[in-house]
Structures are given as C-alpha cells and as structure tokens.
Amino acid sequence: MNVRLDFKPFDLFWMNCQFNMLFSMLTSVDNSYKSAALRNDYSYIVNEMETPNNTKYNELTVRPAINQYINILITERKPLNFESKEQCLKLLKELIKKKEIVLLGVDLFYWIPNSVCWNKHHWEHYSFINGFDEEKRAFYVFDENFNGYNEFEIPEDRLIKAVMNFPLEPHAVICKLSKNIEKFEPSISEIKNNAGRIVTEISEIIPTAFWELCEKDFIEGHMCDLISTQIFQIINRHIANQILMQELESEICDELISKSLVKYCIELQEGWNIVKNKLIKIYYSDDKKSLGNDINKKCKSLLFKEIDMWNMFLKYTD
C-alpha cells in the first residue's frame, strides 16, 4: 500500500523549514501563493546570542513574515504524543490514510543524509509527513538537505530513531487546513512599502559587527555550521528577490533598470556566498581575527548594495 497526500514541495528557493513547509501546503492548495512567497515582507534581525563557550556575539538572520499565511492556512492544531514505537508507526499510518496533516518532531541528527545536521548536530524540528509505502516500510517527508527543500524517503527504523530522540513535547502536531483559502492578489504598493522599510532597517544595523567569535567557537564547528545556514538563508532571499524583480518587469519604467535590478540580486547572491566561503576558511585559518574583520567589511558592503537596489526599485516603479 502506497498512500500519498496531495502536496508538492515548495523548492523555488529555501528560507527555513517552517517557511518552505507552509508554502508547500499553500501553493499546493492555490498556486497564486507563489507570489506571496516571493513578496519582500522579510526583515533582517540582529540578536545578541551566546555560543556554547559563553562568547556573546551579534547574530544576523533574515526573517520572513509568515504569521499571516499561517493564519490563512491553519485553523486548528492538536498535539499528539506517542507511547511506543509501535504506536507511533500505527498512528502515523492511520492519520495519513485519513488525509490528516501531521508535523512530526524529529532529531535532525538521524533524519536527512547530506544535510547540515546529519550525524553531526542534535537539532530538533517538526517535519511534514506526506505519505508512506507499506511494502518499502518507508515514509515520505518534506525537508531539506544541501540540495534544497524536497520530498525524501525515510525508512521506518530511521524515522523511529529520530522521533524517539526528539526531546520536546508534543511529539507531533495534527493540523486542520482552512477550506476557504482565497486567491492571493499581489500588490505593487505593498512591495514598495516593504522596500522602504527594508532600507530603513538595514541602515539601522549596518554599524553592527556580526559573528565575532573566539577561536574555540570556530574550531568546534557547531557555530560555523549554524552561521553558514543563516547566510545561506540570505542568499536564498536574494534568489527570491531576483525572481520577484523578473516578475515585476512590467511595473518598472525602464528595461535597462529592470535588468540592473536583476543584476543587483545576482551580485548579492554571489557576495553573500563569498561571505559564507570566507567563514568556512576561518575554520581552517591561523589568522581568524583578520578574516573575521574582512567578513564584516564584506557584510556591510553587501548591505549597502541592497539599500541601493531597493532605492533604485522605488525610484523607477510606477
């Protein structure tokens, strides 16, 4: 028996597990929500964090605004806990047969091969279950690895191991989806308002020094993987910005300006990828402080470049 739900993974770009899981469901229900996923309703967030070695540092992340879409899609959440391995498998299969939406709590250490956590980090999150195959003794889940967000086949024994090592409650969440999801209508005025807000937010954080860690933090590797993931989110946001600019071509007054805006997005992707690669070099370098200063200079230049991009967009759109 092979049972699948009627959802397709949202793999146009990757932001985080919650964002991609949400838009996998939304775009499967109504494809107009692809435009909602592209909308520039994101913010750069700076938080003072602390490493496992008690080093305080400023973390830079890009955060998509998704609460309104969660409220559009999900009408009810019901917690679910498992008493045993056998009950876990039985309940999951029963729920999937009933076409229920199940978000399963898993320890990512055991979950998806070729991912940042696979056999390295015990990070936990909720993964979307899209079906199962009785003959293969496997489940189908939406999640991410180094190749992006997609559907993966998970053997039952690995699923049980990941679930049994999940340290939180509830072990799973059953979600009810709205039956009255209205078509999404993109708005150029909202995109322009977001552009102005992003310019203001970036201007406020530019003086900040990011990711100033001690040598031990880098040597242990955990922080390197965490920050690389956060930078990868920024890269992907600029992939989304590139697609957004291409879709807004008719709203931009000048064809050359339209091409310049796409070029900005590509250069920002390339620039943040350089930052990510420099971060990895710190891991092996003897001169970590110098490379760290170099990374911060590059970050600031990229943030200024994004300000220029959005200012150009605001100047040349109707």
Side-chain angles (χ1 to χ4, degrees), residues 132-175:
F132 70 91
D133 189 310
E134 197 76 73
E135 280 188 24
K136 290 185 176 180
R137 298 188 65 186
F139 284 81
Y140 298 102
V141 306
F142 288 179
D143 226 303
E144 64 251 8
N145 68 1
F146 293 131
N147 296 317
Y149 195 82
N150 216 321
E151 184 179 80
F152 296 90
E153 184 178 290
I154 307 290
E156 286 183 2
D157 58 348
R158 197 201 307 161
L159 180 140
I160 286 297
K161 195 167 189 178
V163 171
M164 292 297 117
N165 283 279
F166 183 71
L168 308 177
E169 287 191 0
H171 300 148
V173 178
I174 304 169
C175 297

Side-chain angles (χ1 to χ4, degrees), residues 48-305:
E48 185 178 291
M49 304 294 286
E50 193 170 293
T51 73
N53 299 309
N54 302 317
T55 306
K56 286 185 170 58
Y57 71 100
N58 292 313
E59 172 189 79
L60 176 65
T61 60
V62 61
R63 182 180 298 169
I66 61 173
N67 286 341
Q68 62 176 307
Y69 304 116
I70 293 172
N71 293 334
I72 288 169
L73 181 68
I74 298 173
T75 60
E76 183 184 341
R77 297 175 182 84
K78 181 181 176 183
L80 175 66
N81 287 313
F82 305 119
E83 296 174 3
S84 65
K85 301 174 185 179
E86 293 74 23
Q87 187 214 26
C88 172
L89 293 174
K90 183 181 177 183
L91 265 177
L92 286 178
K93 290 175 183 178
E94 287 175 356
L95 290 166
I96 293 165
K97 286 177 187 176
K98 293 176 184 176
K99 303 295 183 180
E100 297 280 6
I101 307 300
V102 181
L103 311 183
L104 184 67
V106 294
D107 182 340
L108 294 175
F109 184 93
Y110 307 101
W111 197 229
I112 307 291
N114 301 314
S115 65
V116 71
C117 293
W118 177 250
N119 289 336
K120 285 180 72 179
H121 305 304
H122 291 278
W123 297 350
E124 62 275 345
H125 84 168
Y126 289 93
S127 189
F128 175 72
I129 309 299
N130 196 47
F132 70 91
D133 189 310
E134 197 76 73
E135 280 188 24
K136 290 185 176 180
R137 298 188 65 186
F139 284 81
Y140 298 102
V141 306
F142 288 179
D143 226 303
E144 64 251 8
N145 68 1
F146 293 131
N147 296 317
Y149 195 82
N150 216 321
E151 184 179 80
F152 296 90
E153 184 178 290
I154 307 290
E156 286 183 2
D157 58 348
R158 197 201 307 161
L159 180 140
I160 286 297
K161 195 167 189 178
V163 171
M164 292 297 117
N165 283 279
F166 183 71
L168 308 177
E169 287 191 0
H171 300 148
V173 178
I174 304 169
C175 297
K176 296 292 183 186
L177 302 190
S178 171
K179 295 181 180 178
N180 300 302
I181 296 176
E182 296 182 1
K183 187 179 180 67
F184 179 80
E185 297 290 344
S187 164
I188 187 66
S189 63
E190 287 185 4
I191 293 170
K192 291 178 75 172
N193 287 340
N194 283 330
R197 174 187 53 76
I198 290 167
V199 167
T200 300
E201 289 179 356
I202 293 176
S203 299
E204 291 172 354
I205 66 171
I206 277 178
T208 308
F210 308 115
W211 306 308
E212 292 185 320
L213 308 180
C214 72
E215 186 168 349
K216 190 176 180 185
D217 294 321
F218 281 113
I219 290 170
E220 291 177 353
H222 166 88
M223 293 306 303
C224 189
D225 286 338
L226 176 62
I227 297 168
S228 292
T229 300
Q230 291 164 343
I231 296 172
F232 189 57
Q233 288 175 315
I234 297 173
I235 294 168
N236 274 266
R237 182 55 245 184
H238 289 302
I239 292 172
N241 286 341
Q242 180 185 342
I243 302 168
L244 177 65
M245 296 300 183
Q246 290 166 335
E247 296 206 345
L248 292 173
E249 188 176 2
S250 62
E251 305 283 348
I252 298 167
C253 302
D254 186 302
E255 184 181 349
L256 289 176
I257 297 299
S258 179
K259 289 180 179 177
S260 293
L261 289 168
V262 170
K263 187 169 181 282
Y264 264 115
C265 296
I266 294 169
E267 288 175 352
L268 284 163
Q269 292 166 47
E270 293 170 347
W272 283 107
N273 201 51
I274 288 169
V275 170
K276 185 161 70 73
N277 291 337
K278 283 178 179 286
L279 182 82
I280 293 168
K281 283 182 182 176
I282 287 182
Y283 188 61
Y284 301 102
S285 171
D286 293 329
D287 191 6
K288 291 177 172 53
K289 186 171 183 179
S290 176
L291 273 173
N293 291 336
D294 189 33
I295 284 174
N296 265 290
K297 287 179 185 176
K298 184 66 177 174
C299 288
K300 292 181 195 310
S301 72
L302 290 167
L303 292 171
F304 276 120
K305 183 184 282 285

